[in-house]
Amino acid sequence: MAAEHILLRHLDVPGLDRLDVYLEHGGFAALRRAVTEKSPQEVIELVRASGLRGRGGAGFPAGVKWSFLSADVFPRYVVVNADESEPGTFKDREIMERNPFQFLEGVAICAYAAQAATAYIYCRGEFWDLAAALEARIAELRAGGLLGKRLFGTEFSLDIFVHLGAGAYICGEETALLESLEGKLGQPRLRPPFPAAKGLYALPTVVNNVETLANLPPILERGAEWYRTIGTKDSPGTKVFSLSGHVVRPGNYELPLGTPFRTLIYEHGGGIPGGRAIKAILPAGASAPMLAATDEVLDTPMDYESLPKVGSMLGSASIIVMDETVDIAWVVLKTTRFFKHESCGKCTPCREGTFWMLQVLERLHDGGPAAGQVDLLNAVAKGIEGKCLCPLGEFAIMPVMSGIERFRPDFAAHEGNGK
Amino acid sequence: MTAADVHLTIDGKPVTVPAGTLIVDAAKRLGIDIPVFCYHPKLEPVGMCRMCLVEVGRPARDRTTGEVPLDEQGNPKLFYNVKLETACTTTVGEGWDVRVTSDKALAGRKEVVEFLLTSHPLDCPICDKGGECPLQNLTLDHGPGTSRFVFDDKIRLHKRVPLGDLIFLDRERCIQCARCIRFQEEIVDDPVIGFYERGRKLEIVTFSEPGFDSHFSGNTTDICPVGALTTTDFRFGARPWELNAAASICPHCPVGCNLTLNTRREAESGGAEVIKRVMPRQNEAVNETWICDKGRFAHHFASSPTRLQRPLVRREGRLVEATWDEALQAAADGLRAAGSGLVGIAGGRLSNEDLFVFRRTVEAAGGSAMLDSRMAGGDLAAHFGLGRQADLGRLGAGDVILVVGADLHEEAPIWWLRVKQAAQRGASLIVAHPRPTRLDGFAAHRLVFEHGRSVEAVLGLASHGAEGKGLDRYGHAPELAPAAHAIAEARDFVVFFGGEGLDGAGTQALAQACGSLLAATGHVGKANSGLVAVWPRANDQGAWDLGFRPIDDVGGALRQARAVYLAASDPLGDDPSTQVALDSLAFLVVQELYLTATAERAHVVLPAQSFVEREGSLTTGEGRVQRYYPAVPPLGATRPDWWIAGALGARLGAPEAPASAAGCFEQIASAVPSYAGISYAALAEVRPQWPLVGGDDLYFGGTAYANSQGLGVKRSTGAEVDSTMKIAWPAPPTPPAGSGLLFVPVVRLYDRGTTVLPSMLLEPHRSRQQVELNPADAHALGVGDGARITFEWDGRAETAEVAVVDGVPEGIALVPRSSGMSLLAPTRGRLRTSAQGADR
Amino acid sequence: MTATEIRSGVLRQRHAAEIEAILARYPADQRRSAVMPLLYLAQHEYGYLHAEAIDEVAEILGISGTQVGSLVGYYSLYHDHPGGKVRMQICTDLPCALRGAESFAREVCQNLGIRLGETTADGAVTVEEVMCLAGCDKAPMFQVQDDHGIHYREHQTVAAALEWVEEVRRTHGR
C-alpha cells in the first residue's frame, strides 16, 4: 500500500527541494494562514490537540512543551536540534536534504507559535555541505519575502541562522546543545530550569527536532483531527524510521506509528540478506535496551507506548537489525565504545563507568583474564544506573544490561577464552 | 521563624531553614555532613560529582483531588523518588524527608567512591593532601576494601604538569570536580584554566601566557578536594599533621587578609620552626576564605638568610656587631645630641604598637615623627571611614561604590574581588580611572580623565548634586550626571581612593573631595558607607590614626635634620638622590629587617623582628583593627620594633614602655579616642561564621582554616562621634607643568620591594625595570617593545626598557613602583633612545 | 606564516567580511556564540588550531585563550595537531560495521601502508575512524575533512576509496 508521504514528500513529488516546486505544491500556505489568521496561542493549541510527540527521541508532546514558555519574558528563541548523531539515525538528514522547505516552514510556524524572532538550526558539523545548502535556501526565502521582517504584512518577523556543531554527540542533548550554541563547552546543564523557562542566553527557548518541526506545515494545513487519524491514539502521525544493519534495503521509511517491526524489516527493508535468521534489534539506535527478535517482538507495533511493554523504547526509531552471525558481545563493545567516546565527562558515573565498561569488554574480546567479568560488567552498569547527570550515561548501560540479560551465551563464550 | 522558612527532616531530625536553602546546607546546620566534591558554598552548584546523592521524600499530592493523603499517624504520606537526587542542587521543600544514611543512599555513595577510585592513583603515601583529604576520608567510610578494577586497565596520566610556575597539576589525582575552573571563572573573573578533551580524558589545561595567569591562583589549591593542585611553594613540603598553625595578618596591603601560617620544626633549619605555607583564615567581613597570591607566596622575606640578626654599631668607619646595650646606648647618645633637630621616619609596615612607641620616643627626645609615604588623606579616611557594622559583603542592589585613582586588582586584590562581587550583586559601581582596569567590566559608570585630575572627577560628580554649587566647571563630561544620580539615590555609598597620578598633597585634596562628596550626598554616619584609602602599606591607616603624617619631600626633611631615626624606612633605596643628605647627618639610626642601602650608612643598626616572629595589631584600610600572633621563634637577637623603640625611648626620657604588645595596645586604647574600648581580648573574639569551614568533615573539603583567634574590631570613626556634615571642596592640584611625557608611578602586585623580592618563585611575574608607553607615543619616539631608553627628570637619568601597551593613555609613561626606578611621584620628563638622542 | 604575521591578526586581515557576517548572526552581547564558526575559519586558514590561532579567535571575541582553547580539545572536528592534506574519516560505528566498515577500514589502511590514526608518508591523507555519520544506509562510507569543509563519500569500496586517494595526491601534488 503506497501511503502518501507527509514528511518524505520528495519521494512523491520530484524536485521538492526547489522553492518554486515547493510553492507550487502548496508550500508556505500553512505558515501564511497561521501568521495571518491564528494567534500564537491558537497554534500551540492546535499542535497540542494533534498529539504530535517530539521526534528526537524523548517523545515529549510538542504542544505541551511549547506551553511551558515563560509568559511575558522576551525575546524568545527557537533552536532546532539537527545534531543527528545517534547511531543508525539518518532521517533528519534526508528531510533537510530533500524536503528542506517543508522543514524550514515548520521552523517558521514554531517560531510564530513561540513568538520568537530568531531561530538557530544547530546542525552537526559533519553535515557541512547540507548546512551550506540550507543556508542558500534560507537566503532564497529571505529574497522571496518568506523570511525577514514583517512577514505577510503582519508584525511577525523571523530570521533563521545555521550554526554548525563540531563533532560531539552529547550536543544532541538539548541543554548541552544550548551550552554549545552559547560558545561554551557542550556539556548538559542541570534541569530544572528547563529551556522553556531558561534556554538560550537564559531566555525562554523551544528546542525541537527536525522531524518534529517538519510535521507542522501538514498539521497546520490539514488540522489536528486529520493528524490523529494516522498512527495510534497515544502516538499519532507518521514516523520516519531509519532502518540499517543486516537488511537488504537499508534506508528511511515513513510509516504510520504503530506499524509492526516485521512490516518495516521484511516488507519494506527486504528482510535479512542471504535469507539468514534475524537475531536482535536495537530499536532506538544505541540508546535503548536491545531486543531479541522473537515473534512477539517482531509483531510489536513500533510506537511510544508499545515498546516499553516488551522491555525497550522507541526513542528516535533508528532500527538496527542484526542477524544470526552477530556476536552480541561485539555489538555491545561497539555501543559502549561509542558512549565512552561521546561521554562529556562531567559526571562521575558516566565518565568513569563507560571507561570501565569498555575496559572489561575489550578484555573479554582480547582474550585477557575474563573469569567473572560478565557479572562485573553487569554490576558496573547497575552502578551507573540512576546516578547520572543526563540521559547519556543511562542509555549507555541499556545495551549492556539487556545484552547480558537476553544474550548471555554470547558473552559467556568470551569469558572462557581467558585465563 | 518567618513565613518563608521551610521545615523538613533529614535522617529523621527536624530542621527549619530559610526557603531556597540547599539540602547540603540544611544538613550542615544539623551537623550532618553530606559528602561533596564539586559543591562549594561560594560557587554555583553544578551537581557533577554525584557524591551527594540522597533519597528525597516529598508529600505526595493526589493528581485528581489535589489533596495530600495522610498516613496512620496523620502525617502527609511521602513519596520517595526512585532515583537518588543530588543534595547540592536541590532546594528544600516543606515537609520533606531526606535520607542521607539509608541503605540506598549509602549504596549510591559507595558506588560513586568506587568509580572515582578506578582512576585515582594510590598516592596517599606521597600526596600532599594526605591527612586533609576528603576523598581519603570518604574512601575509609564508604570505599570498597578491595578493587574490582583490573589494575592494568587503570588510566596513566602526567603527574607533574606545571600550570604556570606557581601551581602544579597531577592529572591522575584530578577527579574533574571543576571547582578550580569555576572558582577562576565565577569568583575572580580569570578564566585561564579550563577543561580539555572530554569523557575520561577530561583534563585541566591553561592557555594563558604565562600559564594560569591569575593573582588568585593559589586559592584553587585550597579548594581542590584532592591532591591534584599543589603550589610550588609547599609541594612535598610537609604532612598536614606535622604542621602547627598560627593566626596572622597579611603584611602586604591594607586589606588585612586573615592568614594561618603553617609551621614545622625542621632539621634543615637547626631545629627551628619554619613557615611551610600560608593559608587563608576565614574572616567573612574581610577576606572571606581567600587570599591573593602575593599574600600566599611572598612570605619568604621573613626567613631570608640576609636578615639582620644582631645589632650593629659603626666603629672606625665599619659596622660591627654589638650587644643590645651597646647599640641602644650608642643610639641614644647620638640622638640625644640632636635635640629638636631629630627627625623620626617610620614606614607603614609597622604595627600599631611599633608606631605608637616610636612616636612617643621621638617626641620625648624633642623630635618630630613622620610617616614615610607619598599618599595622604588618612585623617579624612579616619573621619569619614566605614562604620562599625560595615561589611563590603553586604553591599548590593541599591548601593553605590566609587573607585577613584586606584587599580584595585594590582593594589589590593581582595578588595577588587569584594567590590566586583558587590557589583555582581547589583551594586552600582563607578570606576573613575585614567586607564583601563580589571574592574571596568563590572562598572555601571566609567569616568575617564587625565592622570593627575582625580580631584576634578570627584568635584565633577559633586557638581551635579545639591551641594555642588560653584563646581559646575568640573561637571561637563556626559558620564558624570548619571553617575551622580546613582550616588544621590544610593542607600549606602562607599568610596575607595588611591594615589595614582597624584602626590601627597594631591591625595590629601582627593580625600577631601571624596569625604565632602560623602557628606554632601548624606552618606556620613551610615552603617555601610564611608571612605577607604587604598594605601601602599598594610598599616598606613593605623599610622594616621596614631597621629603620623607623611612627608612628601623626604630629601628635604633629611637635609634639615641633624639626626634621623628610621624604622621600616629606606630613603636611599627608594631614591638615590637622598645620599648626600644622609651622609651629612650627624647621626643616623636605622631599625630594619635587612641591611638596606640606608642602613649601610647608619651609625647604629637595630635588628627588628618580622611579623611572623611576634604579635601585634594592624589597622586595615576599612578601619578594622586585627591582631596577629607569633608563628616562629625570633631570629637571632632580633626584637619587636615596639620593644626597640621603647628601650631607646627609656634612655631618652620617654615614659617606660610596656613590657608587652598587649600593654602597648592598652596605652593606645587610652590615648587614641577612636581606639577606646578595644583590647587584645576583644581582638581575639570570634563568632560562628557561615559557611562552616575547617571542621573534621568532608564538606567544603580539604584545606580551610576556621578563625578561632580573632575577627578583629572596627575602631570608631570621627563621623560616629561627630556627624556634622563637613563639606569643604578643595582646589584641585595643578598637574606638573612643562611639556613632554608625564611619568606616572603605578603599583604592580609583584614588585622588587624588600618584602617581595626574596620570594624567588614570583620572579617570572615581577614587574621589570620598564617604562610603559602608548603605541602612538612609542611609534613617534621610534622605539618598540624591549628597546632600551634613558629617561630623565629633575636632573636625573635612569635606564629602562620600553613596553608598548595599548591601555596606556597618550602622553603618559607608566613607571612601576619598586622596580628599580626611583620615580616616586608624577613628574614631567624626557625619554631618550640610545642612538640619535631623539627625545620627546 | 610567521609569528608576527599571526600576532598582527591574519584572520582579521584576510577574512574581515566573513568574520563580520559570522558575528552578525548572534546578538551583540552574545558574541561568544561565534567561537565555533570562527574556529572553523581559523582551522581552514592554518590547517589546524595552534596556540596563535586560538589567541586570535579569543582576541576577536574578547574572551580568554583558555575559553577558546578548551573547545578545541572538546570537539572531535577541531584538531590541535596538523594532519595530512585531507583527513579521511571512516565511520566504523555499529550500523556501518554491520555492513563491512571495519574490514573496509582495515584494507584501506593496509593498502596505504599505515594504521588507523596515522598519516601517509607523503602527508596526503590522514585516516581516522569516527563515530556514526548518519550515513548508515550507504555504508561503507567516509567523510573528508580538509581546509574547505567536510564532504561525504558513500557507498564506498576499497578500490573506489584508493582511487580517490590517488586523486587527492594528484590534486595536492606529491
Side-chain angles (χ1 to χ4, degrees), chain B residues 462-487:
Chain B
S463 74
H464 290 270
E467 307 279 348
K469 282 194 285 291
L471 300 175
D472 290 333
R473 65 186 173 288
Y474 303 112
H476 294 308
E479 317 82 66
L480 287 170
H485 180 74
I487 296 171

Side-chain angles (χ1 to χ4, degrees), chain B residues 411-496:
Chain B
E411 300 181 40
I414 295 292
W415 275 346
W416 173 90
L417 190 156
R418 302 267 278 160
V419 169
K420 169 240 188 216
Q421 287 183 149
Q424 287 180 311
R425 283 193 300 271
S428 195
L429 173 60
I430 307 169
V431 173
H433 207 71
R435 57 183 176 84
T437 74
R438 288 293 303 268
L439 263 184
D440 294 2
F442 303 95
H445 308 275
R446 182 71 177 86
L447 312 179
V448 184
F449 46 88
E450 287 173 358
H451 272 97
R453 302 212 179 265
S454 313
V455 180
E456 285 90 320
V458 178
L459 296 178
L461 282 170
S463 74
H464 290 270
E467 307 279 348
K469 282 194 285 291
L471 300 175
D472 290 333
R473 65 186 173 288
Y474 303 112
H476 294 308
E479 317 82 66
L480 287 170
H485 180 74
I487 296 171
E489 306 275 295
R491 179 180 57 211
D492 275 306
F493 179 34
V494 175
V495 181
F496 289 84

Side-chain angles (χ1 to χ4, degrees), chain B residues 174 706 771:
Chain B
C174 176
V771 170

Side-chain angles (χ1 to χ4, degrees), chain A residues 68-398:
Chain A
F68 291 150
L69 286 164
S70 297
D72 304 326
V73 181
F74 291 88
R76 281 111 170 259
Y77 289 97
V78 166
V79 173
V80 182
N81 190 340
D83 192 60
E84 186 167 62
S85 304
E86 183 70 49
T89 319
F90 38 96
K91 58 181 179 75
D92 296 335
R93 184 184 161 194
E94 179 160 354
I95 292 172
M96 289 193 288
E97 278 175 346
R98 311 283 301 281
N99 194 2
F101 290 108
Q102 180 169 328
F103 156 61
L104 289 170
E105 187 180 354
V107 175
I109 291 170
C110 177
Y112 178 70
Q115 297 178 74
T118 310
Y120 291 101
I121 301 174
Y122 187 101
C123 196
R124 68 178 295 183
E126 294 84 349
F127 285 174
W128 188 275
D129 287 339
L130 185 163
L134 216 47
E135 278 181 327
R137 287 170 173 137
I138 290 170
E140 268 188 273
L141 291 177
R142 281 197 202 107
L146 292 164
L147 274 180
K149 300 239 178 289
R150 293 201 194 82
L151 301 177
F152 310 117
T154 70
E155 285 307 299
F156 176 57
S157 301
L158 174 65
D159 210 345
I160 304 179
F161 302 103
V162 177
H163 179 104
L164 279 170
Y169 163 82
I170 186 63
C171 289
E173 193 280 328
E174 63 180 10
T175 61
L177 188 156
L178 294 173
E179 286 288 288
S180 181
L181 188 47
E182 290 183 9
K184 304 181 224 159
L185 233 43
Q187 292 180 320
R189 299 172 177 168
L190 286 175
R191 291 183 298 172
F194 290 87
K198 283 186 160 28
L200 185 63
Y201 313 132
L203 292 162
T205 305
V206 166
V207 184
N208 271 134
N209 170 263
V210 169
E211 187 186 351
T212 313
L213 295 169
N215 273 289
L216 295 178
I219 291 175
L220 267 286
E221 263 300 279
R222 298 153 82 162
E225 272 110 56
W226 159 79
Y227 196 70
R228 282 199 165 279
T229 64
I230 310 163
T232 72
K233 179 170 163 293
D234 288 325
S235 307
T238 60
K239 182 84 186 65
V240 179
F241 296 91
S242 294
L243 181 65
S244 67
H246 288 155
V247 290
V248 172
R249 287 189 295 273
N252 286 315
Y253 296 96
E254 183 181 356
L255 300 167
L257 280 159
T259 305
F261 283 103
R262 198 186 291 279
T263 311
L264 171 67
I265 295 170
Y266 289 95
E267 244 185 73
H268 296 275
I272 319 296
R276 286 188 286 277
I278 187 173
K279 181 169 176 178
I281 297 171
L282 280 168
S287 296
M290 197 177 330
L291 291 164
T294 61
D295 281 327
E296 186 200 359
V297 164
L298 285 169
D299 292 325
T300 302
M302 296 184 296
D303 59 45
Y304 297 102
E305 62 275 15
S306 302
L307 265 296
K309 294 182 189 147
V310 290
S312 189
M313 296 150 35
L314 183 66
S316 49
S318 316
I319 317 292
I320 306 175
V321 175
M322 288 152 279
D323 72 20
E324 56 186 310
T325 65
V326 151
D327 171 11
I328 298 299
W330 170 85
V331 172
V332 171
L333 172 68
K334 299 295 284 178
T335 62
T336 307
R337 186 169 285 148
F338 172 81
F339 285 114
K340 181 250 175 194
H341 183 264
E342 299 296 339
S343 168
C344 78
K346 199 170 180 183
C347 78
T348 306
C350 175
R351 180 184 72 241
E352 306 293 338
T354 54
F355 177 76
W356 193 354
M357 289 195 300
L358 186 62
Q359 300 295 94
V360 176
L361 280 159
E362 283 182 341
R363 200 162 344 100
L364 281 168
H365 282 275
D366 295 343
Q373 292 295 297
V374 178
D375 283 335
L376 174 63
L377 179 60
N378 206 47
V380 174
K382 267 224 98 42
I384 296 170
E385 189 172 33
K387 297 198 188 62
C388 300
L389 190 145
C390 91
L392 188 150
E394 308 290 341
F395 288 147
I397 60 178
M398 288 177 184

Side-chain angles (χ1 to χ4, degrees), chain C residues 121-144:
Chain C
D122 61 355
V125 184
T126 303
V127 183
E128 299 164 324
E129 58 176 343
V130 295
M131 299 295 167
C132 183
L133 297 176
C136 323
D137 55 340
K138 307 182 177 77
M141 52 86 62
F142 60 89
Q143 73 181 12
V144 180

